[in-house]
Amino acid sequence: RKLKLTGVVMNPSGQLTRIELVGPMNFDQWEACFNVFRTACVMLGLASYAALDAYKDHIKSYACTYSSETWTLLYQADTRARREQAQRIRRNSSKFSASPEGSERKVVDSDGITFDPSMPWEYVFRKLPKDFSFWKKEFESAAILITANINRADFAVTGEVPVAASSAHHIAD
């Protein structure tokens, strides 16, 4: 299941070379990339800055709370959240999308988050940070053990989302 993203870059002699792009090596690189994603989502009308910033602030709070040794684990959890959990939330939100009369309407869920059928990704990015069981399973439990020096930093990292070894190896720099 390792994710591979390849790209083409120009080498010093002016030739195009295929490279494998890796994930960000720290939160600052992640944030630079996420800001591009955020702008694209807003331009396409998928979600608001507020919803996407709530998600970004969630990742930032973990990055600031836990040691830098947990970054790869956090990036792995973030990738799974956006790749897998976001889809589950969007699919589950379909139960909100139609009223008994068959007309679409806005609905407020049990967390107080409004689902608007015209912008389902808005709901997803507001819901993701509040999915406590997901974050506990994918990040918090292992991060606590790593931070307490009970387990090594790589014990819960599967390698499916490799990160840059240095800032020179990431496209954000």
Side-chain angles (χ1 to χ4, degrees):
R1 272 182 28 137
K2 182 178 176 185
L3 294 176
K4 287 188 179 181
L5 178 65
T6 59
V8 178
V9 296
M10 191 172 294
N11 65 21
S13 63
Q15 296 175 316
L16 294 176
T17 306
R18 185 172 301 278
I19 61 164
E20 183 179 332
L21 301 172
V22 292
M25 67 174 287
N26 56 39
F27 175 77
D28 292 334
Q29 286 183 345
W30 179 91
E31 184 178 34
C33 296
F34 189 82
N35 286 340
V36 173
F37 171 75
R38 180 184 70 156
T39 300
C41 286
V42 170
M43 289 175 66
L44 294 170
L46 299 175
S48 68
Y49 279 122
L52 293 158
D53 282 347
Y55 183 77
K56 179 171 75 169
D57 291 345
H58 178 71
I59 299 298
K60 183 177 185 175
S61 73
Y62 278 144
C64 292
T65 301
Y66 293 92
S67 70
S68 60
E69 290 180 342
T70 64
W71 171 252
T72 303
L73 179 64
L74 178 55
Y75 179 62
Q76 176 179 282
D78 160 58
T79 302
R80 287 179 178 167
R82 289 182 290 120
R83 186 181 66 218
E84 299 166 12
Q85 193 65 8
Q87 293 295 336
R88 284 185 201 101
I89 291 170
R90 190 179 60 79
R91 278 193 310 270
N92 290 339
S93 68
S94 65
K95 66 184 175 190
F96 298 131
S97 65
S99 66
E101 303 85 39
S103 62
E104 291 191 343
R105 59 181 169 58
K106 292 182 182 180
V107 177
V108 178
D109 73 4
S110 60
D111 290 328
I113 302 170
T114 302
F115 173 76
D116 181 352
S118 66
M119 287 184 75
W121 292 107
E122 172 86 5
Y123 176 78
V124 168
F125 279 99
R126 289 193 183 275
K127 189 78 171 171
L128 268 174
K130 296 185 181 305
D131 194 344
F132 302 116
S133 63
F134 173 83
W135 292 104
K136 182 171 179 53
K137 176 183 169 223
E138 294 294 331
F139 178 70
E140 290 176 12
S141 297
I144 289 168
L145 295 173
I146 292 167
T147 304
N149 290 321
I150 294 170
N151 279 327
R152 291 189 346 229
D154 63 350
F155 93 99
V157 176
T158 63
E160 69 189 73
V161 286
V163 298
S166 70
S167 76
H169 291 111
H170 193 264
I171 199 159
D173 279 340

